[in-house]
Amino acid sequence: MSDAPSRKDLDATVHLPRTEFPMKGNLAQLEPRLLAWWAERGVWKRLLEKNAGREPFVLADGPPYANGHLHAGHALNKVLKDIVVKYRNLSGRPCDFIPGWDTHGLPIEQAVEKRLKEQKLDKRTLSRDALLERCREYALEFVDIQKAEFQRLGVFGSWDAPYKTLDFTYEARELRELATFARRGMLYRRKKPVAWCLQDQTALAEAEVEYAEHTSPSVYVAFDAAGASLGERLPQLRGQRVSFVIWTTTPWTLPANLAIAVNPAFEYVFYRLEDRVLCVAKDLLAKVLAEVKSDELAVKHVQLPTGEVSSPALVDPSRILAYATGEDLEHVTYQHPFHERQGRVLLGGHVTLDAGTGLVHTAPGHGQEDYEVGLAYGLDIYNPVRADGRYDDTVGEVLAGRRVFEANPVVLDLLVQRGALLNDKADTVTHSYPHCWRCHQPVIQSATYQWFIPMDAPFHGTQTFRQAVLEQVDKVRWVPAWGQSRIRGMLEGRPDWCISRQRSWGVPLPIAYCDGCDDAVVSPEVMERVAAAVEKEGAGVWYRTPVKDFLGEDFRCPRCGKEDFHRETDILDVWFDSACMASAVLEPRQRVPADLFLEGSDQHRGWFHSSLLVSVGTRDVAPYKACLTHGFVVDGHGEKMSKSRGNTVAPDKVIQQYGAEVLRLWVAASDYRNDVRLSDAILKGLSEGYRKIRNTLRYALGNLHDFDPAKDAVPAQALAPLDQWARGRLSQVVARVRQAYEDYEFHLVYATVVDFCANDLSAVYFDILKDRLYTAKADGPARRGAQTVLHEVVTVLLPLLAPVMSFTAEEAWQHLPGRTSESVFLAGFPEPKGAMAPGLAERYAKLFAVRGAVQGVLEVARRDKRIGASLEARVVLTADGPPGGSVKELLQAHLLELPGLFIVSQVEWADAASDAATALDVSQAFGDGASLAVEVLPAKGTKCPRCWVYSEGVEAGGGVCPKCREALG
């Protein structure tokens, strides 16, 4: 009877992986449990305490608007910030993330009005205090909703102490910033054109205007010269009906026309067309005629060396009666086409030859450049359009009371009746036109009385405010680098900042007006007194307190001496609200400047922009050291997401289906510098990457079930060469990942870790390691050495992954034997160590190249059914090459290691290749002249019932191979 152990007994001696870390994440169920676990153990506060006293890293949170549920753009932004926060804290720099919300402004006010209608309540029956309280309640409701949704994403932060722009202390700080502007003489009130939303009846900030395709009338209008001045300057035009021709796409602005602008340097031509003489820029004559009377042109063919060129030419050049420069035409008068008033031809450097006629219809109340010309020449800033978009009575009976866009055809009919329309009134042009970003309706330029911060006012000595701001731009690090030129361009061309809004819900402008002369009282001291009251009672105190309480009982109007005043009812621009975050939040709770502002690329004209203006305007410095921008979220085809298209991807749906972890992976895996695509197919692909990482962790943890690093770890110098190689690769990965985090290139973090897990670990190291881990002596140096490296791999990988894969990293950490901290987030960020020994990387690169080539030959043998599993094979090698570092020398030096590398039972060397051998190309690894031949034969000996390796040393009657006998001894 045989003494050989039974199959069952042998199976019990094999060290198969054992772990409670599950194969599937079941993230939708796991994540809420981990969120509760972090909260119960105070991981966030302990993380900050652990780093206390070190140099902080300040990341400012640009406040999302407290209205509605989160969309994919919110998720992208907050997860990017969370990656930064977690990395900085893990690497030892305290980074207290203070989340915030933008809680004032029009959308909340409109949402409250909608609720009031649903409740059948009339807004007009509410006091201002009651309306403001309803707005406050609505904003706080959505702060709580969004807070829970952000936390569900695994975002760490001081959620119990966020900032809100409706906080009394925040509102007070904002008013103190305004007082500083006033103290520096940086506030003024004027009637000037601003972007005006007709639907919301308020001025809009630059960042609140978006551009979209719009179809407008295309109109060529003749303004007949009046008086004798033109004939006196150009005698050849005496007795002629001369018409100055303008082109416009906004006929509704023609009632407000007060001038025509020409460029002083351009040459203008006077061309007879039927019963009138048209004045246009010489270089645009052919283009204008093509639009209004194309039969005045002929096609001229010119033969050049490069070929024939065709161009339009005048049929009768003799119709040109005169030429003049723009300067010659200054102050020539003309008759308005349908109003009984005259205007003047004026000079304007803004006139170009890009389009139109070279003469620009000028309505100072409806355009910034028109306004500037009007100021230069002392014109009235005339605006006949009311806040609701209807004309007032100054435009005459035909137009009075009409909405401006609806009035376009009426204006065209008036032009036709007066013989002033030169082209077909049905002509249109499709062009980019400004729209309100909230209601998506076209906006107009409308001159109203507003409060402004001047961009070109003297600021410090000879420097203007604009110059001071631009100087700070150049001191900031912009990521990507093109952000610098983008924001510079916006600042160089922007108008004065309109900071007043015609709404109720917001921070008031604490300015009073004299009842006698309407002079404005702009007093920093009054603003400070209002701020002190607001800090105790909120912004509403401005409206319910008699204005004299803030001015002082003895205060008299400096201009007229009267003692009665009324208050300003406009509120501050919400961009001014959020721009005060640095002074209201960072200054008292962290520090200014912040290390980083991180927002979408639209914030170059939004929060980055306004925050810079406020900080430089009150403190002379930028509020940030660096600005990082990300693109917008688009669908899988690169199209903009919208509910109407049905292509939106809601974060809560993704979380239900895949878990927040996959959404976090999507953020990390994307090159956020461009627009970021999101679709179900993309998420499924990321699930595959997630599975590779999870399987890597599970395999490593499974092979550590009997490993105690405190007593079982093998010293680095005693590790096998392959283990040293794996440890060296891990060190390289740590260095690359750390640098990727520092450079905010999070897609490289993901790509580096996935590549390491899939290609270095799973496909190579783990594959080779199985025999050692499963069958070597349990506590022998070979197995313990492998476990030592596996333990280090997991111990290092989990903190590397924690900023991105927060849930999985924490889950796996709880299954790690000998973990050094309760939470992965308290473990610290790993430093590169165990650097690759000189020559080791090159040696294994060559060995793995041979391994890959041999595996290809084994696969052919398996397909041809010459072998089954690779352990049934014996590989015979023959090699040749140049002396020194040749294939032959390397492989012979590692001959005993090769069976394990190839996962075969035997590897032999032959001096000459047989006819059955396969020649392999290894020149890429070994250089030109290197050759290798491989022959696959059946393995010698008997299959070991324990390790499945074939060996001639397997004992008869069910015994095991010598290697296994040693392991069992």
Side-chain angles (χ1 to χ4, degrees), residues 178 181-182 185-195 203-204 368 371 446-455 494-501 509 511:
L178 184 69
F181 273 104
M186 296 289 288
L187 281 180
Y188 74 91
R189 182 176 184 257
R190 189 171 295 165
K191 183 181 181 182
K192 62 188 295 187
V194 295
L204 299 177
Q368 179 63 28
Y371 167 79
S446 184
T448 58
Y449 279 102
Q450 304 286 347
W451 286 96
F452 297 90
I453 291 174
M455 293 301 299
R494 71 154 296 140
D496 291 350
W497 185 5
C498 175
I499 62 168
S500 49
R501 294 294 180 271
L509 273 158
I511 295 167

Side-chain angles (χ1 to χ4, degrees), residues 191 255-258 341 363-366 380-384 392 394-395 447:
K191 183 181 181 182
N257 173 273
L258 298 182
R341 67 168 179 263
H366 293 300
D380 179 24
I381 309 303
Y382 173 51
N383 176 15
D392 62 22
T394 63
V395 296

Side-chain angles (χ1 to χ4, degrees), residues 209-250:
V209 176
E210 60 185 13
Y211 285 80
E213 290 292 288
H214 182 73
T215 300
S216 301
S218 177
V219 181
Y220 288 85
V221 183
F223 287 74
D224 289 348
S229 61
L230 182 61
E232 292 171 356
R233 300 181 194 193
L234 299 172
Q236 58 270 51
L237 297 179
R238 287 176 182 165
Q240 304 287 343
R241 180 189 180 189
V242 177
S243 300
F244 297 105
V245 182
I246 65 92
W247 173 70
T248 184
T249 60
T250 55

Side-chain angles (χ1 to χ4, degrees), residues 95 153 189 242 308 338 407 414 416 448 450 530 540 570 583-584 613 665 710 758 775 839 891 901:
C95 183
L153 292 170
R189 182 176 184 257
V242 177
E308 187 177 82
F338 53 81
L414 287 173
V416 171
T448 58
Q450 304 286 347
V530 175
D570 284 357
S583 61
L613 294 180
L665 265 184
T775 67
L891 296 183
L901 288 179

Side-chain angles (χ1 to χ4, degrees), residues 544-586:
R544 60 177 175 264
T545 303
V547 71
K548 286 286 282 186
D549 288 5
F550 295 118
L551 295 174
E553 282 301 318
D554 298 330
F555 187 83
R556 299 290 183 270
C557 175
R559 182 180 177 188
C560 72
K562 296 289 180 65
E563 60 181 16
D564 294 324
F565 297 86
H566 59 277
R567 63 176 56 83
E568 172 66 81
T569 57
D570 284 357
I571 63 171
L572 280 163
D573 177 13
V574 292
W575 288 103
F576 193 91
D577 277 23
S578 58
C580 294
M581 183 267 185
S583 61
V585 180
L586 299 184

Side-chain angles (χ1 to χ4, degrees), residues 582-601:
S583 61
V585 180
L586 299 184
E587 203 166 69
R589 296 177 63 175
Q590 295 178 307
R591 66 161 162 77
V592 178
D595 290 284
L596 182 67
F597 273 34
L598 191 167
E599 303 297 335
S601 56

